[in-house]
Amino acid sequence: MADRMPDDTALRTVRNDWRLDDLVLDEESLRVTGVLDWEPATLGDPLMDLGSALAHWVRADDGHAARAMPRRPSHLPGMLTRAEIVERYRDRTGLPTGDWPLYEVFGLFRLAVIAQQIHHRYHHRQTRNQAFRNLWAAVHHLDHRCRTTIPRTRGG
């Protein structure tokens, strides 16, 4: 991936943890009226932020392993696909998304590291939440998605 790293597309405030459950919506219009949980925010490439957000985005037509992972309501009918979100983001920001698979791999790898860290804590009895028991399977699935996505990056 280091050989394929594009130049930063822009320098923006990035949140580093976009999830639907951190949004406050207007009850009638469903417009976002607030965003919670800003402590991971920093400055960086906004496409890295989008890649991280979409790593959590699971669709109903994704494979069994992806659907078995904890997911947001992204799998419900009517939700945008990852490709549709990237297209809308590009159209609204004007940022180039030609190297999108690289950003996708970044987000998947980042999520795999987080899942591995949580499973490590569970395995060493530093947390007892049974939901973390099988996170090792999620790590393997995310690793597989990274390895199958990497060839789609430029030069791959």
Side-chain angles (χ1 to χ4, degrees), residues 10-16 40-46:
L11 182 62
R12 303 276 197 285
T13 301
V14 294
R15 191 166 169 282
N16 286 313
T42 189
L43 295 177
D45 186 331

Side-chain angles (χ1 to χ4, degrees), residues 63-108:
H64 173 73
R67 290 189 325 259
M69 293 174 54
R71 58 188 182 265
R72 308 303 181 256
S74 54
H75 67 288
L76 298 174
M79 297 298 282
L80 297 172
T81 66
R82 288 180 292 269
E84 289 169 331
I85 292 170
V86 171
E87 182 179 336
R88 281 188 181 194
Y89 189 90
R90 182 198 65 231
D91 291 347
R92 290 188 177 166
T93 65
L95 295 175
T97 57
D99 290 319
W100 177 252
L102 186 124
Y103 299 104
E104 183 179 357
V105 169
F106 171 81
L108 294 169

Side-chain angles (χ1 to χ4, degrees), residues 3-59:
D3 294 338
R4 302 174 187 159
M5 186 65 68
D7 293 332
D8 287 344
T9 58
L11 182 62
R12 303 276 197 285
T13 301
V14 294
R15 191 166 169 282
N16 286 313
D17 193 25
W18 284 111
R19 298 184 322 204
L20 292 175
D21 51 347
D22 282 339
L23 300 178
V24 178
L25 304 176
D26 177 79
E27 190 174 328
E28 292 180 23
S29 70
L30 298 181
R31 289 195 173 271
V32 175
T33 59
V35 179
L36 309 174
D37 192 20
W38 278 91
E39 67 266 5
T42 189
L43 295 177
D45 186 331
L47 291 177
M48 293 292 192
D49 207 20
L50 183 60
S52 294
L54 291 183
H56 294 275
W57 202 261
V58 177
R59 298 285 305 156

Side-chain angles (χ1 to χ4, degrees), residues 125-143:
R125 303 184 192 281
Q126 296 167 345
T127 183
R128 302 206 185 270
N129 186 333
Q130 289 294 311
F132 304 146
R133 180 179 184 183
N134 294 318
L135 273 181
W136 62 269
V139 172
H140 286 279
H141 166 71
L142 292 165
D143 175 65

